[in-house]
Structures are given as structure tokens and as C-alpha cells.
Amino acid sequence: QSHLVESGGGTVQPGGSLRLACAVSGFSLDGYWIGWFRQAPGKEREGVSCISDSSSSSTNYPDSVKGRFTISRDNAKNTAFLQMNSLKPEDTAVYYCAADWRPHLELCTLDTGWYGFWGQGTQVTVSS
């Protein structure tokens, strides 16, 4: 059975940092895109980062988090990470990791419809 489990969420003051982890079991991350998404109350789920498994491990970020968030992966540990710096109150949401088998596509997408495996989410609250 396949599982994605997020960890590392919590409450942090504006300007602070958090590092989320996504531990994957049941399949190897080799050849998979990994994406991080978030959903705030009353809003649609939106992509905040993704990384392919190409030789360049290309990444993709929306303008809202570019320069503040960094996605990374460790296929040997079957784990992905999201480093979030300079957090803002508007970053408050439930954060989800997702994955899908895309071994031949260089550039990942932030479209939720391209991802078939999802975690249960971890809450991130940015508040003073």
C-alpha cells in the first residue's frame, strides 16, 4: 500500500521558517514528480512547488513563494522536503505533498490534476 506522510508543520511567527518533510512508502520515488500544495480555509488547493526526477531535477514555483520556498528530494531516503523561509500570515494553510509517475517529463506542473498520490496534510500557521 502506498503512503505519503507529511511532517514538520506547526505555528511560527511572521518571518520565521519551517521545513516540511514528505516520507513515502510503498513505492520508490525514482521517476516521480513530487509536488507540494496548500489549501487555506475557503480557498482552492494551490501548488507551491514541484520537482521532477530528471537529470536536472527541475523545479517550479508560483510567484507567491518564489525566492522563499525551496523544494528538494532525497530518492535514497524516499523523502521530499519543503524549506519555507520568510513566512507570511498568508502562507497559513494545510500543506500536502503529492507524487506521480512522470519519468520522461523534464518540467513538472503545479496542476493538482497531474498528481495521483496524496498525503493527508500538515497544518502550517503563521501568526504573531
Side-chain angles (χ1 to χ4, degrees):
Q1 197 169 4
S2 303
H3 291 287
L4 284 71
V5 179
E6 303 92 339
S7 61
T11 300
V12 64
Q13 292 187 341
S17 298
L18 283 175
R19 189 188 194 212
L20 306 183
C22 175
V24 177
S25 61
F27 63 93
S28 167
L29 278 177
D30 292 340
Y32 277 76
W33 285 355
I34 300 166
W36 284 95
F37 298 80
R38 68 185 181 188
Q39 189 166 20
K43 294 189 177 181
E44 291 189 354
R45 192 169 297 189
E46 63 172 348
V48 295
S49 65
C50 65
I51 185 169
S52 70
D53 196 32
S54 66
S55 57
S56 62
S57 290
S58 61
T59 57
N60 193 4
Y61 302 90
D63 289 341
S64 58
V65 307
K66 198 171 292 184
R68 300 189 299 122
F69 289 12
T70 304
I71 189 172
S72 61
R73 62 191 296 157
D74 185 340
N75 283 12
K77 295 182 178 179
N78 237 29
T79 303
F81 304 94
L82 182 66
Q83 178 66 43
M84 305 186 294
N85 299 328
S86 303
L87 283 162
K88 305 175 181 180
E90 52 264 41
D91 294 319
T92 296
V94 177
Y95 283 71
Y96 301 88
C97 67
D100 210 277
W101 171 250
R102 306 283 177 185
H104 304 301
L105 295 179
E106 176 75 20
L107 185 62
C108 56
T109 176
L110 297 173
D111 186 336
T112 58
W114 282 67
Y115 295 83
F117 296 97
W118 289 83
Q120 293 300 305
T122 185
Q123 176 70 46
V124 170
T125 302
V126 185
S127 173
S128 55

mmCIF file of all heavy atoms in Angstrom, residues 18-20 36 48-51 59-61 65-73 80-85:
data_model
loop_
_atom_site.group_PDB
_atom_site.id
_atom_site.type_symbol
_atom_site.label_atom_id
_atom_site.label_comp_id
_atom_site.label_asym_id
_atom_site.label_seq_id
_atom_site.Cartn_x
_atom_site.Cartn_y
_atom_site.Cartn_z
ATOM 1 N N LEU A 18 10.079 27.131 8.439
ATOM 2 C CA LEU A 18 9.696 25.749 8.732
ATOM 3 C C LEU A 18 10.229 24.866 7.617
ATOM 4 O O LEU A 18 10.352 25.314 6.462
ATOM 5 C CB LEU A 18 8.175 25.585 8.814
ATOM 6 C CG LEU A 18 7.455 26.061 10.066
ATOM 7 C CD1 LEU A 18 5.943 25.926 9.874
ATOM 8 C CD2 LEU A 18 7.893 25.277 11.292
ATOM 9 N N ARG A 19 10.510 23.624 7.957
ATOM 10 C CA ARG A 19 10.915 22.645 6.959
ATOM 11 C C ARG A 19 9.960 21.476 7.026
ATOM 12 O O ARG A 19 9.890 20.771 8.035
ATOM 13 C CB ARG A 19 12.342 22.164 7.203
ATOM 14 C CG ARG A 19 12.888 21.299 6.073
ATOM 15 C CD ARG A 19 14.213 20.703 6.442
ATOM 16 N NE ARG A 19 14.917 20.137 5.281
ATOM 17 C CZ ARG A 19 15.713 19.084 5.341
ATOM 18 N NH1 ARG A 19 15.910 18.470 6.498
ATOM 19 N NH2 ARG A 19 16.335 18.649 4.253
ATOM 20 N N LEU A 20 9.213 21.283 5.959
ATOM 21 C CA LEU A 20 8.297 20.156 5.863
ATOM 22 C C LEU A 20 8.996 18.968 5.222
ATOM 23 O O LEU A 20 9.858 19.135 4.362
ATOM 24 C CB LEU A 20 7.067 20.535 5.033
ATOM 25 C CG LEU A 20 6.292 21.777 5.464
ATOM 26 C CD1 LEU A 20 5.065 21.942 4.571
ATOM 27 C CD2 LEU A 20 5.895 21.705 6.920
ATOM 28 N N TRP A 36 4.314 20.000 -3.814
ATOM 29 C CA TRP A 36 3.763 20.479 -2.543
ATOM 30 C C TRP A 36 2.619 21.442 -2.877
ATOM 31 O O TRP A 36 2.773 22.336 -3.729
ATOM 32 C CB TRP A 36 4.815 21.194 -1.712
ATOM 33 C CG TRP A 36 5.789 20.298 -1.035
ATOM 34 C CD1 TRP A 36 7.019 19.922 -1.484
ATOM 35 C CD2 TRP A 36 5.599 19.648 0.229
ATOM 36 N NE1 TRP A 36 7.614 19.080 -0.571
ATOM 37 C CE2 TRP A 36 6.771 18.898 0.482
ATOM 38 C CE3 TRP A 36 4.572 19.620 1.173
ATOM 39 C CZ2 TRP A 36 6.941 18.127 1.644
ATOM 40 C CZ3 TRP A 36 4.742 18.856 2.314
ATOM 41 C CH2 TRP A 36 5.907 18.130 2.543
ATOM 42 N N VAL A 48 2.498 24.996 -4.627
ATOM 43 C CA VAL A 48 3.527 25.922 -4.171
ATOM 44 C C VAL A 48 4.926 25.498 -4.610
ATOM 45 O O VAL A 48 5.867 26.284 -4.530
ATOM 46 C CB VAL A 48 3.507 26.126 -2.649
ATOM 47 C CG1 VAL A 48 2.215 26.803 -2.215
ATOM 48 C CG2 VAL A 48 3.707 24.826 -1.901
ATOM 49 N N SER A 49 5.082 24.269 -5.075
ATOM 50 C CA SER A 49 6.369 23.863 -5.613
ATOM 51 C C SER A 49 6.258 22.462 -6.178
ATOM 52 O O SER A 49 5.391 21.691 -5.774
ATOM 53 C CB SER A 49 7.465 23.886 -4.543
ATOM 54 O OG SER A 49 7.207 22.928 -3.551
ATOM 55 N N CYS A 50 7.131 22.138 -7.106
ATOM 56 C CA CYS A 50 7.240 20.768 -7.587
ATOM 57 C C CYS A 50 8.660 20.548 -8.097
ATOM 58 O O CYS A 50 9.386 21.515 -8.380
ATOM 59 C CB CYS A 50 6.207 20.444 -8.663
ATOM 60 S SG CYS A 50 6.388 21.349 -10.206
ATOM 61 N N ILE A 51 9.031 19.280 -8.174
ATOM 62 C CA ILE A 51 10.358 18.912 -8.635
ATOM 63 C C ILE A 51 10.254 17.646 -9.460
ATOM 64 O O ILE A 51 9.545 16.709 -9.091
ATOM 65 C CB ILE A 51 11.321 18.738 -7.431
ATOM 66 C CG1 ILE A 51 12.749 18.474 -7.891
ATOM 67 C CG2 ILE A 51 10.847 17.645 -6.473
ATOM 68 C CD1 ILE A 51 13.774 18.569 -6.743
ATOM 69 N N THR A 59 12.695 22.444 -11.105
ATOM 70 C CA THR A 59 11.696 22.843 -10.131
ATOM 71 C C THR A 59 10.775 23.907 -10.712
ATOM 72 O O THR A 59 11.077 24.529 -11.733
ATOM 73 C CB THR A 59 12.364 23.378 -8.856
ATOM 74 O OG1 THR A 59 13.217 24.475 -9.209
ATOM 75 C CG2 THR A 59 13.189 22.304 -8.166
ATOM 76 N N ASN A 60 9.682 24.115 -10.024
ATOM 77 C CA ASN A 60 8.684 25.084 -10.489
ATOM 78 C C ASN A 60 8.026 25.692 -9.257
ATOM 79 O O ASN A 60 7.664 24.952 -8.326
ATOM 80 C CB ASN A 60 7.658 24.356 -11.369
ATOM 81 C CG ASN A 60 6.777 25.301 -12.147
ATOM 82 O OD1 ASN A 60 6.949 26.506 -12.114
ATOM 83 N ND2 ASN A 60 5.826 24.735 -12.868
ATOM 84 N N TYR A 61 7.905 27.017 -9.238
ATOM 85 C CA TYR A 61 7.295 27.712 -8.118
ATOM 86 C C TYR A 61 6.376 28.819 -8.643
ATOM 87 O O TYR A 61 6.697 29.470 -9.645
ATOM 88 C CB TYR A 61 8.348 28.397 -7.230
ATOM 89 C CG TYR A 61 9.402 27.506 -6.656
ATOM 90 C CD1 TYR A 61 10.600 27.279 -7.342
ATOM 91 C CD2 TYR A 61 9.222 26.896 -5.419
ATOM 92 C CE1 TYR A 61 11.583 26.459 -6.811
ATOM 93 C CE2 TYR A 61 10.215 26.083 -4.879
ATOM 94 C CZ TYR A 61 11.389 25.883 -5.587
ATOM 95 O OH TYR A 61 12.355 25.068 -5.051
ATOM 96 N N VAL A 65 5.609 32.385 -3.856
ATOM 97 C CA VAL A 65 6.581 31.783 -2.932
ATOM 98 C C VAL A 65 7.994 31.760 -3.494
ATOM 99 O O VAL A 65 8.931 31.368 -2.785
ATOM 100 C CB VAL A 65 6.176 30.339 -2.553
ATOM 101 C CG1 VAL A 65 4.741 30.301 -2.041
ATOM 102 C CG2 VAL A 65 6.358 29.385 -3.722
ATOM 103 N N LYS A 66 8.160 32.176 -4.728
ATOM 104 C CA LYS A 66 9.483 32.131 -5.362
ATOM 105 C C LYS A 66 10.481 32.951 -4.560
ATOM 106 O O LYS A 66 10.203 34.086 -4.169
ATOM 107 C CB LYS A 66 9.378 32.649 -6.792
ATOM 108 C CG LYS A 66 10.528 32.263 -7.696
ATOM 109 C CD LYS A 66 10.224 32.639 -9.138
ATOM 110 C CE LYS A 66 9.101 31.817 -9.714
ATOM 111 N NZ LYS A 66 8.861 32.111 -11.157
ATOM 112 N N GLY A 67 11.628 32.369 -4.296
ATOM 113 C CA GLY A 67 12.648 33.034 -3.504
ATOM 114 C C GLY A 67 12.516 32.796 -2.012
ATOM 115 O O GLY A 67 13.436 33.094 -1.248
ATOM 116 N N ARG A 68 11.394 32.253 -1.575
ATOM 117 C CA ARG A 68 11.175 31.968 -0.149
ATOM 118 C C ARG A 68 11.089 30.476 0.133
ATOM 119 O O ARG A 68 11.526 30.031 1.195
ATOM 120 C CB ARG A 68 9.882 32.637 0.335
ATOM 121 C CG ARG A 68 9.870 34.140 0.184
ATOM 122 C CD ARG A 68 8.652 34.765 0.875
ATOM 123 N NE ARG A 68 7.386 34.308 0.322
ATOM 124 C CZ ARG A 68 6.436 33.694 1.042
ATOM 125 N NH1 ARG A 68 6.611 33.459 2.328
ATOM 126 N NH2 ARG A 68 5.299 33.336 0.459
ATOM 127 N N PHE A 69 10.526 29.713 -0.792
ATOM 128 C CA PHE A 69 10.349 28.276 -0.616
ATOM 129 C C PHE A 69 11.350 27.535 -1.508
ATOM 130 O O PHE A 69 11.611 27.956 -2.637
ATOM 131 C CB PHE A 69 8.940 27.839 -1.005
ATOM 132 C CG PHE A 69 7.845 28.277 -0.064
ATOM 133 C CD1 PHE A 69 8.066 29.216 0.940
ATOM 134 C CD2 PHE A 69 6.576 27.721 -0.162
ATOM 135 C CE1 PHE A 69 7.067 29.606 1.797
ATOM 136 C CE2 PHE A 69 5.551 28.095 0.686
ATOM 137 C CZ PHE A 69 5.793 29.045 1.664
ATOM 138 N N THR A 70 11.843 26.408 -0.993
ATOM 139 C CA THR A 70 12.747 25.568 -1.768
ATOM 140 C C THR A 70 12.346 24.112 -1.601
ATOM 141 O O THR A 70 12.283 23.615 -0.483
ATOM 142 C CB THR A 70 14.206 25.748 -1.325
ATOM 143 O OG1 THR A 70 14.577 27.120 -1.419
ATOM 144 C CG2 THR A 70 15.137 24.906 -2.195
ATOM 145 N N ILE A 71 12.107 23.449 -2.710
ATOM 146 C CA ILE A 71 11.775 22.024 -2.684
ATOM 147 C C ILE A 71 13.043 21.221 -2.963
ATOM 148 O O ILE A 71 13.919 21.659 -3.729
ATOM 149 C CB ILE A 71 10.677 21.691 -3.720
ATOM 150 C CG1 ILE A 71 10.174 20.268 -3.543
ATOM 151 C CG2 ILE A 71 11.163 21.949 -5.144
ATOM 152 C CD1 ILE A 71 8.950 19.934 -4.403
ATOM 153 N N SER A 72 13.137 20.070 -2.332
ATOM 154 C CA SER A 72 14.256 19.174 -2.594
ATOM 155 C C SER A 72 13.787 17.742 -2.419
ATOM 156 O O SER A 72 12.691 17.499 -1.912
ATOM 157 C CB SER A 72 15.436 19.481 -1.670
ATOM 158 O OG SER A 72 15.071 19.306 -0.314
ATOM 159 N N ARG A 73 14.618 16.807 -2.850
ATOM 160 C CA ARG A 73 14.256 15.402 -2.750
ATOM 161 C C ARG A 73 15.499 14.584 -2.441
ATOM 162 O O ARG A 73 16.617 14.952 -2.842
ATOM 163 C CB ARG A 73 13.599 14.914 -4.042
ATOM 164 C CG ARG A 73 14.500 14.987 -5.274
ATOM 165 C CD ARG A 73 13.695 14.748 -6.546
ATOM 166 N NE ARG A 73 13.133 13.416 -6.590
ATOM 167 C CZ ARG A 73 12.074 13.069 -7.312
ATOM 168 N NH1 ARG A 73 11.451 13.976 -8.054
ATOM 169 N NH2 ARG A 73 11.628 11.828 -7.303
ATOM 170 N N ALA A 80 10.896 13.747 0.440
ATOM 171 C CA ALA A 80 10.984 15.073 -0.164
ATOM 172 C C ALA A 80 10.841 16.123 0.933
ATOM 173 O O ALA A 80 10.320 15.831 2.019
ATOM 174 C CB ALA A 80 9.890 15.258 -1.214
ATOM 175 N N PHE A 81 11.316 17.317 0.630
ATOM 176 C CA PHE A 81 11.323 18.371 1.632
ATOM 177 C C PHE A 81 10.827 19.686 1.023
ATOM 178 O O PHE A 81 10.948 19.900 -0.181
ATOM 179 C CB PHE A 81 12.742 18.581 2.175
ATOM 180 C CG PHE A 81 13.364 17.346 2.745
ATOM 181 C CD1 PHE A 81 14.177 16.537 1.956
ATOM 182 C CD2 PHE A 81 13.128 16.976 4.060
ATOM 183 C CE1 PHE A 81 14.745 15.385 2.477
ATOM 184 C CE2 PHE A 81 13.690 15.832 4.587
ATOM 185 C CZ PHE A 81 14.495 15.030 3.789
ATOM 186 N N LEU A 82 10.298 20.530 1.894
ATOM 187 C CA LEU A 82 9.943 21.890 1.500
ATOM 188 C C LEU A 82 10.472 22.837 2.571
ATOM 189 O O LEU A 82 9.967 22.835 3.686
ATOM 190 C CB LEU A 82 8.439 22.058 1.336
ATOM 191 C CG LEU A 82 7.992 23.444 0.866
ATOM 192 C CD1 LEU A 82 8.471 23.710 -0.558
ATOM 193 C CD2 LEU A 82 6.472 23.594 0.959
ATOM 194 N N GLN A 83 11.508 23.577 2.231
ATOM 195 C CA GLN A 83 12.041 24.577 3.135
ATOM 196 C C GLN A 83 11.297 25.877 2.884
ATOM 197 O O GLN A 83 11.284 26.385 1.765
ATOM 198 C CB GLN A 83 13.538 24.770 2.884
ATOM 199 C CG GLN A 83 14.184 25.835 3.753
ATOM 200 C CD GLN A 83 14.204 25.462 5.219
ATOM 201 O OE1 GLN A 83 14.508 24.328 5.585
ATOM 202 N NE2 GLN A 83 13.885 26.417 6.093
ATOM 203 N N MET A 84 10.693 26.411 3.946
ATOM 204 C CA MET A 84 9.904 27.633 3.826
ATOM 205 C C MET A 84 10.518 28.710 4.703
ATOM 206 O O MET A 84 10.588 28.539 5.926
ATOM 207 C CB MET A 84 8.449 27.370 4.238
ATOM 208 C CG MET A 84 7.803 26.228 3.472
ATOM 209 S SD MET A 84 6.053 26.049 3.844
ATOM 210 C CE MET A 84 6.119 25.569 5.570
ATOM 211 N N ASN A 85 10.965 29.777 4.083
ATOM 212 C CA ASN A 85 11.580 30.893 4.798
ATOM 213 C C ASN A 85 10.739 32.149 4.636
ATOM 214 O O ASN A 85 9.874 32.215 3.755
ATOM 215 C CB ASN A 85 12.990 31.144 4.275
ATOM 216 C CG ASN A 85 13.910 29.966 4.467
ATOM 217 O OD1 ASN A 85 13.780 29.215 5.429
ATOM 218 N ND2 ASN A 85 14.865 29.795 3.557
#
